[in-house]
Amino acid sequence: MQRAFIAILTFSLGTAGAAPGYACTYYDVVEYLNVSSHSKMHAHILPKTNPKEPMEVKMDFTLVAILSVVEKLQTVTFYFVLDLEWKNPFATWNPRDFCNVSKIVLPMGAYWSPSIFIVERVNGQNPNPDYMTVTYNGVFYATQPFQATLTCSLMIFKFPFDTQMCNLSITSLLYPVTDLVLKRRGTPAELMKHSQSYFLTDGEWKFTNLNIIEYTENLDNGEYSVVTYKISLERRPTLYVLNLILPTCALYLLDMAVLFGPSSLEDKINFQIAIILGSSMLAVILNNILPTSSEKPPIIVVFFLGTFLLMIMAVLDTLFLLHQRHKSPGLDKALGGFQRDEHIELATRAMNNQPVEHLAKEGAQQMRTRPRTPQKKGQPVEPPWKPQQQDPFLPVLEKVLLYGHFFLSLFFFAIISIKWST
């Protein structure tokens, strides 16, 4: 204080207009603030003049990058910056006493600074800033960068057309709300605009919105001030559409083309089984992306499962038609067997040296005993053994199965599209 008084006195008595050199440096301000002394208690004690009024710490949030989103672990990694502002009434000076020096930069440990705790954090790095800015009226400014991995309840029901909202809650567990209150400094619209101007990543996720909530959290040992930033993210689905959804739809269209194609039923079954194997490989890729547990399955899982079941139904329809086509009523077999038995009997008698005339008489007698239908003039002679004609019910059954499968597929894909779009 004595040195400051001398400096002020010298400055006021100067008539030549030139300020003394020893009172015009930052070092003089540091000496005046007594920062270089061996006592560091002022760096750990909350700077309050009135114990009944809480100290306010104002914050600005800037989201710089979305580093990763892991659906299986339900975690999100952000890189963001917090701008802190608080006032220390014990660190003030008059700029006119020090050649209008109104702002200095001090080490972070020179004075008290708020300790930041992120509630949802599970991992990450937050290197402590080395310096902070102090103004003449005792207002401190500090910028703290954070790389933090947070827990986030990811709702993947509409994957890959989903939007997520993750909370980033900041508090100080060292001081209850009666001693320290956290406040926002800017509006959500201003912070959103500022974050978008600094946003670095342009990958799978897009930063869409930011909301801020200030509240008091009641814990076992007291109430604490909390500021929660609600960060809205939107997934860019182009990669998943090109790698999963479109190939599955193409395989299903190929399956429908095979089902309605002119190939034989045996060839259709071979093609359909090959298409099912290709679809199962896409399902394995999807299984490696989605989390293993969820309250209800995502729409894309229902889409893959429904498509797989429709392909299985197409194979079953083809097998049923093949069974009906190869199913014979037994009449042709009985008649064909009766004719073969006659030839065998005649051949056996011939081998037993029976007279040929006797065999001819027996054959003619058997022919006379068979009923004969009257033949009209101009009508072609029908063969004695006419092959069985195809069942007229089979083409109708085939059309019913095919078109029923087609309309069921349209209904299923319409429901999936509505669920994804709403």
Side-chain angles (χ1 to χ4, degrees):
M1 295 296 295
Q2 183 178 3
R3 178 176 295 184
F5 177 77
I6 296 174
I8 295 172
L9 181 62
T10 306
F11 181 78
S12 60
L13 294 177
T15 56
Y22 66 87
C24 293
T25 62
Y26 292 114
Y27 180 77
D28 296 316
V29 180
V30 172
E31 287 292 327
Y32 172 74
L33 296 176
N34 200 22
V35 177
S36 60
S37 64
H38 295 286
S39 177
K40 294 293 183 180
M41 293 303 296
H42 56 274
H44 305 286
I45 299 176
L46 189 68
K48 285 177 45 177
T49 56
N50 187 358
K52 296 182 179 180
E53 293 183 0
M55 179 181 178
E56 288 189 359
V57 176
K58 299 180 180 180
M59 294 186 301
D60 273 346
F61 173 83
T62 303
L63 182 62
V64 180
I66 303 173
L67 301 181
S68 66
V69 177
V70 184
E71 288 85 355
K72 280 188 173 295
L73 300 178
Q74 300 278 294
T75 58
V76 181
T77 302
F78 292 130
Y79 180 72
F80 58 94
V81 175
L82 287 180
D83 294 324
L84 305 177
E85 176 187 342
W86 68 95
K87 187 173 183 179
N88 189 342
F90 302 104
T92 59
W93 71 91
N94 190 353
R96 290 180 297 181
D97 297 340
F98 301 93
C99 300
N100 294 326
V101 176
S102 60
K103 182 172 61 175
I104 60 174
V105 178
L106 295 177
M108 199 65 186
Y111 275 96
W112 177 90
S113 60
S115 59
I116 297 301
F117 178 78
I118 301 175
V119 178
E120 296 85 3
R121 179 172 176 175
V122 293
N123 196 3
Q125 301 175 359
N126 57 317
N128 294 324
D130 296 331
Y131 298 95
M132 56 186 176
T133 304
V134 187
T135 59
Y136 69 95
N137 56 355
V139 179
F140 284 68
Y141 299 95
T143 300
Q144 296 187 9
F146 291 87
Q147 178 182 332
T149 301
L150 313 177
T151 59
C152 183
S153 180
L154 300 177
M155 306 300 293
I156 58 171
F157 180 70
K158 292 186 178 181
F159 176 88
F161 306 98
D162 55 331
T163 57
Q164 307 294 339
M165 181 176 291
C166 298
N167 294 338
L168 195 154
S169 301
I170 297 174
T171 184
S172 181
L173 297 179
L174 296 179
Y175 306 100
V177 70
T178 55
D179 292 332
L180 181 66
V181 175
L182 300 178
K183 296 286 185 179
R184 67 181 185 185
R185 189 168 62 179
T187 63
E190 294 174 351
L191 297 183
M192 177 72 184
K193 184 177 180 181
H194 190 257
S195 297
Q196 289 180 342
S197 63
Y198 284 95
F199 199 69
L200 299 179
T201 56
D202 189 21
E204 178 183 354
W205 292 91
K206 180 172 61 174
F207 176 42
T208 57
N209 196 14
L210 178 65
N211 291 322
I212 306 174
I213 299 177
E214 299 175 357
Y215 61 98
T216 301
E217 185 69 25
N218 189 4
L219 299 179
D220 295 336
N221 54 349
E223 296 182 347
Y224 296 87
S225 177
V226 182
V227 176
T228 298
Y229 296 93
K230 291 184 173 292
I231 305 170
S232 298
L233 311 176
E234 182 180 354
R235 191 193 303 267
R236 294 185 174 98
T238 306
L239 182 63
Y240 297 99
V241 171
L242 296 178
N243 289 341
L244 293 176
I245 298 178
L246 286 184
T248 304
C249 293
L251 289 176
Y252 189 74
L253 289 177
L254 182 61
D255 183 76
M256 294 294 293
V258 170
L259 185 62
F260 282 88
S263 303
S264 63
L265 296 178
E266 293 83 356
D267 294 337
K268 288 183 179 181
I269 293 176
N270 294 331
F271 281 119
Q272 288 169 345
I273 293 176
I275 293 173
I276 290 175
L277 293 177
S279 178
S280 62
M281 295 300 297
L282 296 175
V284 171
I285 298 175
L286 178 65
N287 184 58
N288 295 330
I289 299 174
L290 298 179
T292 55
S293 62
S294 180
E295 293 183 359
K296 53 184 177 180
I299 299 177
I300 193 170
V301 174
V302 179
F303 168 73
F304 268 82
L305 182 60
T307 306
F308 186 78
L309 292 179
L310 287 174
M311 292 181 181
I312 295 295
M313 288 179 61
V315 175
L316 295 178
D317 291 343
T318 308
L319 286 173
F320 179 72
L321 293 175
L322 183 63
H323 173 71
Q324 293 295 325
R325 182 167 294 180
H326 285 79
K327 178 182 175 183
S328 56
L331 180 60
D332 287 343
K333 294 182 179 179
L335 293 176
F338 177 73
Q339 186 178 13
R340 285 194 300 271
D341 291 342
E342 283 187 347
H343 290 295
I344 293 173
E345 184 180 354
L346 292 175
T348 304
R349 292 182 180 179
M351 292 176 63
N352 293 333
N353 296 324
Q354 292 185 4
V356 179
E357 295 81 2
H358 178 68
L359 295 176
K361 288 180 180 181
E362 287 185 358
Q365 184 178 1
Q366 291 177 1
M367 292 296 293
R368 284 195 299 269
T369 57
R370 293 174 185 170
R372 300 181 62 182
T373 57
Q375 185 74 22
K376 296 180 180 180
K377 293 183 179 181
Q379 186 176 0
V381 179
E382 295 182 358
W385 304 109
K386 182 171 64 175
Q388 170 152 4
Q389 298 179 357
Q390 185 180 3
D391 190 355
F393 179 70
L394 285 179
V396 178
L397 178 62
E398 184 174 359
K399 289 184 179 179
V400 169
L401 291 177
L402 294 182
Y403 285 103
H405 187 81
F406 176 73
F407 287 114
L408 181 62
S409 302
L410 289 181
F411 179 72
F412 171 74
F413 283 103
I415 292 178
I416 293 297
S417 301
I418 292 173
K419 284 184 175 293
W420 258 329
S421 60
T422 56

